[in-house]
Amino acid sequence: MKLLPLLAGLAGLLLVILAVVYFAMPASSLPSFVPGFDPTLTKHHYTHGVASLLVGLVLIAFWWFKSKKSAK
């Protein structure tokens, strides 16, 4: 198995998990290393979550199609 599709799949999975965190937690409750963390805000970063989800799904799709081609 090639390294790039595997790394893309792992990064995609992490981004999908991060999207769930963005949807579930307000900005003040996010971990401090996550973009969008602000201890004074109580709103959710839905746009960050949507962007993270879309990029994550694209990376997972890339991994899916590349792994199917290399298996043949």
Side-chain angles (χ1 to χ4, degrees), residues 4-6 8-9 11-12 25 38 44 49 55 69 71:
L4 183 62
L6 181 64
M25 296 182 164
D38 188 353
H44 293 264
V55 173
K69 286 183 180 178

Side-chain angles (χ1 to χ4, degrees), residues 4 8 10-11 14-16 19 23 31-32 34 43 49-50 59 61 66-67 72:
L4 183 62
L10 290 175
L14 289 175
L15 284 173
V16 169
F23 291 135
S32 60
V34 173
K43 68 174 192 160
V50 168
L59 288 173
K66 286 296 185 175
S67 67
K72 290 182 179 178

Side-chain angles (χ1 to χ4, degrees), residues 27-40:
S28 61
S29 297
L30 291 173
S32 60
F33 60 86
V34 173
F37 169 74
D38 188 353
T40 61

Side-chain angles (χ1 to χ4, degrees), residues 13-70:
L13 183 63
L14 289 175
L15 284 173
V16 169
I17 292 170
L18 182 62
V20 171
V21 170
Y22 275 128
F23 291 135
M25 296 182 164
S28 61
S29 297
L30 291 173
S32 60
F33 60 86
V34 173
F37 169 74
D38 188 353
T40 61
L41 290 179
T42 58
K43 68 174 192 160
H44 293 264
H45 285 298
Y46 292 114
T47 53
H48 285 83
V50 168
S52 177
L53 181 65
L54 290 176
V55 173
L57 290 176
V58 166
L59 288 173
I60 289 172
F62 172 76
W63 165 75
W64 178 271
F65 288 118
K66 286 296 185 175
S67 67
K68 290 294 180 185
K69 286 183 180 178
S70 65

